[in-house]
Amino acid sequence: MIAKTNGSTPTNGAQNGAHAASATVSRVSAREVPAHGGKLIDRLVRDGEAEDLLARARTLPAARLDARTGADAELIATGALSPLEGFLGRADYLSVIEKTHLANGTLFPIPITLGVPRADASKYRAGTEAALVDAAGEPVGTIAIDEVYEFDRELEAREVYKTTETKHPGVAWLFEHKDEVGLAGRITLARRTIERRFPAHHRDPAELRALIAERGWRRTVAFQTRNPIHRAHEYLLRCALEITDGLVVHPLVGETKGDDVPAATRVRCYEVLLDKYFPKDRAVLSVFPFAMRYAGPREALLHAVARQNYGFSHFIVGRDHAGVGNYYGTYDAQRIFDTLEPGELAIQTLFFEHSFWCRGCGAVASVKTCPHPEDQRLVLSGTRVRELLTKGDAPPAEYSRPEVAAILIEAYRQAASAQV
């Protein structure tokens, strides 16, 4: 069950669909949505303090950040992963894996850790500092080392991802980094670790909270996606917008697996869709630069935690949220919210069934609203859509807006040309 911290009636996790939730949506303002753990963390230093920190960092042993840990570092520093102030130590690491909570009892479903090569472990000692450096070896900040410890990647894979198969991209990442030890401690950043590829849409939690407050949105819903938005997604967005004041399409643009549509292409799709089909005063595009884990239910919880930190009062959880292959049940990512105790999250979830274009209804519908047989329902698999796009054919208009299809076709054409 999910409850708000302002004492109002909890929203039951069984409320699948905006039509069911519309009567019970609370009047929660952006300023009233607390950061997870009660405080929005800020571990970024600026100006002269930043220059001093970088100068000191150049004298310290270095711990290298990759695309994933670099994104984690900035999201910790800007508060998106509050209440974390640094990378987890062993007690928190094991508690998160085994209990989906930090050692102090705070909900946190996926371990956020920093690994360094085991061969270099002697360089790092508890009670000292290390420099955090980027791929070029340039310092971006420091970590105050609390401990150096051993990971349990087998346990992490089995409990967090529910599989030890390396076909799973999240598990593959873990085992590729199996010969590492954990470096735990509070971080301080003096430079950004994420390339701002979409500056018009890149907002830290404090910035997005300020935008929500400026617009006067008392109830703001976030939509998480790592895919282009098709007509069924639109249906979810419109339902959610009917019962809230503002919508933020909040796509994940961090590291994803190789066959996902690239972030730059997806962002162009989001831009054209919001520009042509949504009210400009009630819908915003803002990116979420987190690296995808594909952890299904666990990741759905973490995505909700992060969106609470960004100041959203509501969060859409659809079918197979953060899933990959057949590793998770279609609605497992919704059911996991029913395992929470009241008050563990302040954000409210909106659950939706699988949606599709129904010829009988003449509209997008879901299994909860459509009375027609399956042969009236247009459901295209991702594989089939990719086959059409690769051939330069647009999916049916009932599946995808033509402007979105045109962007995708051109992207697939360019990718094919680059391979010749």
Side-chain angles (χ1 to χ4, degrees), residues 88-291:
L88 297 187
R90 184 167 174 81
D92 282 324
Y93 168 73
L94 292 175
S95 184
V96 167
I97 289 172
E98 296 172 341
K99 302 176 182 178
T100 69
H101 290 70
L102 298 170
N104 67 6
T106 302
L107 174 70
F108 212 88
I110 293 179
I112 303 298
T113 58
L114 175 62
V116 295
R118 182 175 283 103
D120 296 338
S122 61
K123 296 180 182 179
Y124 312 102
R125 298 194 316 278
T128 66
E129 280 188 306
L132 299 173
V133 303
D134 61 20
E138 288 297 314
V140 297
T142 60
I143 178 170
I145 303 172
D146 290 330
E147 65 177 312
V148 182
Y149 65 96
E150 291 287 340
F151 292 124
D152 189 335
R153 296 303 199 190
E154 291 279 346
L155 179 67
E156 187 173 351
R158 190 166 62 249
E159 295 298 321
V160 175
Y161 296 96
K162 304 304 179 186
T163 180
T164 57
E165 293 183 4
T166 55
K167 291 180 181 178
H168 187 296
V171 173
W173 190 95
L174 289 184
F175 291 161
E176 286 166 6
H177 295 77
K178 200 168 184 178
D179 194 28
E180 291 183 342
V181 294
L183 205 59
R186 193 183 199 199
I187 68 168
T188 307
L189 290 190
R191 284 178 46 212
R192 296 280 183 165
T193 58
I194 299 171
E195 178 189 358
R196 293 202 162 197
R197 294 180 293 162
F198 314 106
H201 309 305
H202 196 132
R203 300 175 181 88
D204 293 338
E207 294 170 324
L208 198 43
R209 283 173 171 264
L211 183 147
I212 291 169
E214 178 185 317
R215 296 202 173 196
W217 293 346
R218 293 174 60 82
R219 296 153 299 176
T220 308
V221 62
F223 178 62
Q224 148 76 29
T225 179
R226 70 174 196 267
N227 296 305
I229 294 175
H230 51 65
R231 297 295 295 275
H233 291 142
E234 273 193 64
Y235 171 77
L236 312 187
L237 301 184
R238 294 184 190 283
C239 287
L241 197 49
E242 288 285 359
I243 60 170
T244 58
D245 304 313
L247 161 73
V248 178
V249 175
H250 205 225
L252 186 146
V253 297
E255 189 175 55
T256 57
K257 57 188 175 67
D259 60 349
D260 280 345
V261 177
T265 299
R266 291 189 282 114
V267 166
R268 291 201 300 274
C269 294
Y270 307 141
E271 289 171 338
V272 71
L273 188 76
L274 291 180
D275 182 59
K276 295 203 67 171
Y277 297 104
F278 283 84
K280 293 179 175 55
D281 61 337
R282 296 192 62 211
V284 168
L285 171 61
S286 193
V287 298
F288 177 45
F290 184 67

Side-chain angles (χ1 to χ4, degrees), residues 36-50:
H36 189 54
K39 176 186 177 182
L40 190 67
I41 299 302
D42 181 4
R43 299 299 304 159
L44 279 172
V45 294
R46 299 159 181 87
D47 304 326
E49 189 176 358

Side-chain angles (χ1 to χ4, degrees), residues 229-232 234 356-359 364 377-381 384-389 392-406 408-409:
I229 294 175
H230 51 65
R231 297 295 295 275
E234 273 193 64
F356 44 79
W357 180 270
C358 174
R359 297 182 181 90
V364 176
R377 300 171 180 177
L378 175 63
V379 180
L380 294 182
S381 69
R384 177 58 181 150
V385 171
R386 285 191 291 272
E387 288 174 354
L388 290 170
L389 295 171
D393 296 335
E398 295 87 354
Y399 180 86
S400 177
R401 293 287 186 182
E403 298 89 348
V404 172
L408 293 173
I409 288 171

